[in-house]
Amino acid sequence: MEQVQISVPARGWGQTTRADAWWVQPLAVFLGLSTFIVYSTWAAFQGEHYAFGPYLSPFYSPEIFGDSTHSLLGPKPGWWPMWLPFSPAFLILWAPVGFRLTCYYYRGAYYKAFWADPPSCAVGEPRSGYLGENSFPLIVQNLHRYFLIFALLLLVFLTLDVWNALWFEDPATNSLSFGLGVGTLVLAVNVVLLGSYTLGCHSLRHLVGGGHDRISGSPLRRQTYDCVSCLNRRHMLYAWMSLVWVGFSDVYVRLCAMGIWSDLRLF
Amino acid sequence: MTSATFRIWRGNAKGGKFQDYTTEVSEGMVVLDAVHQVQAEQANDLAVRWNCKAGKCGSCSAEVNGSPKLMCMTRLSSLPLDKPVTIEPMQAFPSIRDLVTDVSWNYQVKKEIQPFSPREPDSADGTWRMEQYDVERVQEFRKCIECFLCQDVCHVLRDHRLHGEFIGPRFFVYSAALEMHPLDTVDRTTELANDHGVGYCNITKCCTKVCPEEITITDNAIIPLKERVVDKMYDPLTKLLRMFRG
């Protein structure tokens, strides 16, 4: 394509004639994501208070190795290097982190909020050079569809956690009885919100039908594409709701496990 | 009648400055009405491009209070009139004079995109059959009026001036309309990646926000194109599947 000569230089960092409070949204995204990153990193490094009765924090699910009764393969393995800190969260958190980091919605949001590229629409930028997602390092964002596979797998485990959270152990008889606690509801809402976010993924939309020019030929493909598209229209909303709720779910289980909050049994 | 002040850019390709004009405004007026009033009463030489005054020709694109908008569709009642309303030309294109920019680059870009190339007709009478559902997806893209506000707000063109490597949101919409068409046979993914710079888009969604036709540019056109590019160029599993399918 022909290069265009524009004699007026591009505006500098933050320069704009926008009259509205354009900085509010990127600032809110910056604060929201920073808070979550700090809290989730802290929670992942704790390695304790992540389970309470039948509840397991979603940051630690599935617990592949660990000391709680939810552990799938027993305690911390002997081959784990001594010098490397261990937490069951380390073994699984990379998947949801990778999924959100490469998510099309979050990409646009954090490029603005953390990298000012651009700070907001029609607002000047701090740098003139630009590579975008055309070359390394940001070309690796195209791994999103692979993280999607792990995110879908985690949804299955989190759904199983909700099922497990319906079975409470009687300390006197050690038998399990069916019940419902506030924690069960917290974990169930978490699965619904994470499901709404994950199943509205742009890559999933492409994989279930968007990549085809003719979708109507297969009724199943058409239905699935319509469902994913429906969730995709509110992808940003579900991205934030699920992020807040997954953090709250960890807080709930953690505070119950620490004895600060009491879990209310509804029946 | 109340009065309002309009801070209008006056200048050309060499430079210029904002100039204030105070004029009477009344209920129902849009920004283009105010500009015409200023032109008639105070600045007969003010250059402004317009045509339909109905949001369908895409001629009166400009930046009102810093946001790319069609002047004919921006009601004064939607703006704070206690402060001067700034009106300036689009920043992503060369200035000609005052509010008029040279958007001819866009017409050159369009010529470089491979045109619609349908499969052989389905019937002997030379007609095709397709499901409404399949073609509805691309009909959204045909609402585009080529106002180029999406091109103007896109920081790849506006701030980084990569006109030589990036075709911009308008032409990703155009490419998507062709690429996803159920009758089209051309594969444009390689040129989208290598020549048209789809990878430069970092999904800020500014183009979607300014589109007067409310086309979901990023979610329905650019991201699906990016995914098709991943299929073709980066995803080893899809490549492998394609090899088996032949």
Side-chain angles (χ1 to χ4, degrees):
Chain A
M1 273 100 57
E2 187 187 331
Q3 184 58 42
V4 169
Q5 293 304 320
I6 305 173
S7 50
V8 181
R11 286 175 178 161
W13 188 11
Q15 282 186 347
T16 182
T17 45
R18 277 181 65 171
D20 59 333
W22 58 265
W23 46 271
V24 169
Q25 195 177 13
L27 181 66
V29 170
F30 179 81
L31 293 175
L33 289 181
S34 299
T35 306
F36 184 81
I37 291 165
V38 169
Y39 175 75
S40 57
T41 307
W42 175 84
F45 270 91
Q46 294 310 296
E48 55 179 2
H49 303 307
Y50 56 84
F52 176 70
Y55 307 147
L56 177 63
S57 161
F59 285 178
Y60 286 75
S61 178
E63 187 185 4
I64 301 170
F65 294 107
D67 297 328
S68 89
T69 53
H70 299 269
S71 175
L72 299 176
L73 302 176
K76 174 184 156 185
W79 48 260
W80 189 266
M82 291 288 286
W83 51 269
L84 196 63
F86 177 80
S87 164
F90 294 164
L91 300 176
I92 48 110
L93 263 189
W94 58 269
V97 166
F99 182 62
R100 288 195 189 248
L101 205 63
T102 58
C103 161
Y104 282 103
Y105 162 67
Y106 282 113
R107 272 144 75 174
Y110 68 70
Y111 289 145
K112 282 186 196 162
F114 286 80
W115 197 241
D117 206 0
S120 192
C121 302
V123 177
E125 298 186 16
R127 293 165 294 272
S128 56
Y130 181 72
L131 296 173
E133 298 180 344
N134 223 21
S135 52
F136 189 80
L138 293 181
I139 202 165
V140 296
Q141 302 279 27
N142 292 316
L143 285 171
H144 186 52
R145 56 178 63 181
Y146 289 101
F147 282 113
L148 167 69
I149 296 166
F150 291 105
L152 290 170
L153 207 61
L154 284 182
L155 264 187
V156 175
F157 281 105
L158 292 170
T159 308
L160 283 172
D161 286 346
V162 176
W163 172 253
N164 291 334
L166 289 165
W167 299 93
F168 292 82
E169 189 175 299
D170 184 342
T173 61
N174 280 343
S175 62
L176 291 176
S177 61
F178 185 77
L180 188 77
V182 172
T184 317
L185 295 176
V186 168
L187 295 183
V189 170
N190 182 50
V191 169
V192 170
L193 292 176
L194 280 177
S196 302
Y197 167 62
T198 309
L199 298 175
C201 164
H202 290 87
S203 286
L204 185 63
R205 189 177 181 224
H206 171 77
L207 294 170
V208 299
H212 296 266
D213 295 341
R214 284 187 66 244
I215 302 173
S216 65
S218 158
L220 179 65
R221 179 185 290 162
R222 179 177 168 162
Q223 281 286 332
T224 317
Y225 179 75
D226 285 346
C227 287
V228 175
S229 297
C230 181
L231 291 170
N232 181 264
R233 281 191 278 277
R234 292 179 180 82
H235 201 46
M236 179 182 86
L237 177 71
Y238 293 131
W240 281 104
M241 286 175 76
S242 61
L243 189 80
V244 169
W245 201 266
V246 77
F248 174 70
S249 301
D250 181 82
V251 170
Y252 187 87
V253 174
R254 187 169 297 281
L255 293 183
C256 286
M258 292 170 79
I260 297 171
W261 279 0
S262 302
D263 180 53
L264 184 68
R265 270 289 286 279
L266 302 176
F267 64 85
Chain B
M1 290 281 257
T2 55
S3 66
T5 301
F6 296 89
R7 187 162 287 167
I8 302 175
W9 177 262
R10 303 299 310 271
N12 52 34
K14 291 176 188 157
K17 61 177 183 176
F18 282 106
Q19 202 163 319
D20 285 357
Y21 300 94
T22 302
T23 189
E24 298 287 312
V25 296
S26 57
E27 195 181 344
M29 278 177 76
V30 293
V31 171
L32 185 60
D33 293 329
V35 169
H36 279 157
Q37 200 162 289
V38 167
Q39 192 186 44
E41 295 171 352
Q42 303 174 50
N44 301 151
D45 60 343
L46 173 63
V48 54
R49 185 187 282 135
W50 66 283
N51 190 7
C52 74
K53 283 188 78 176
K56 287 296 163 197
C57 73
S59 301
C60 64
S61 301
E63 298 191 4
V64 179
N65 277 349
S67 296
K69 286 180 187 298
L70 292 179
M71 286 190 282
C72 71
M73 298 303 285
T74 309
R75 284 184 173 271
L76 293 184
S77 58
S78 68
L79 302 169
L81 297 180
D82 53 329
K83 286 178 277 187
V85 175
T86 60
I87 308 170
E88 57 192 315
M90 292 192 284
Q91 303 293 301
F93 304 110
S95 168
I96 295 177
R97 183 174 163 163
D98 301 336
L99 300 178
V100 180
T101 49
D102 176 6
V103 294
S104 59
W105 171 81
N106 293 286
Y107 308 127
Q108 298 305 316
V109 170
K110 197 170 192 175
K111 288 177 190 166
E112 293 179 26
I113 296 168
Q114 291 192 66
F116 181 62
S117 177
R119 64 174 187 243
E120 289 295 310
D122 298 330
S123 305
D125 63 357
T127 58
W128 289 268
R129 302 288 177 271
M130 56 185 166
E131 288 287 329
Q132 179 62 29
Y133 180 87
D134 292 322
V135 83
E136 253 166 23
R137 195 160 57 139
V138 297
Q139 278 175 346
E140 178 193 8
F141 307 141
R142 298 185 67 88
K143 291 193 297 178
C144 178
I145 57 172
E146 295 205 323
C147 61
F148 305 125
L149 290 176
C150 57
Q151 305 283 71
D152 178 46
V153 80
C154 177
H155 72 128
V156 183
L157 298 173
R158 182 190 182 91
D159 295 302
H160 301 295
R161 310 265 166 98
L162 291 173
H163 296 73
E165 299 165 57
F166 181 72
I167 61 175
R170 158 60 194 137
F171 296 106
F172 291 129
V173 166
Y174 180 65
S175 299
L178 300 170
E179 191 64 22
M180 296 179 189
H181 197 287
L183 298 186
D184 186 68
T185 55
V186 177
D187 180 1
R188 298 172 186 79
T189 46
T190 306
E191 66 188 40
L192 278 166
N194 295 339
D195 307 323
H196 297 164
V198 73
Y200 280 119
C201 170
N202 68 344
I203 326 141
T204 60
K205 297 199 179 185
C206 295
C207 50
T208 306
K209 284 178 193 156
V210 302
C211 179
E213 285 294 316
E214 298 183 347
I215 302 171
T216 319
I217 300 174
T218 319
D219 292 305
N220 289 351
I222 300 180
I223 294 175
L225 289 179
K226 275 176 166 266
E227 285 293 317
R228 286 179 184 222
V229 167
V230 177
D231 277 351
K232 181 83 180 285
M233 306 190 67
Y234 306 124
D235 183 355
L237 280 183
T238 317
K239 278 187 177 179
L240 204 65
L241 275 175
R242 225 182 3 251
M243 271 171 61
F244 282 119
R245 283 179 188 159

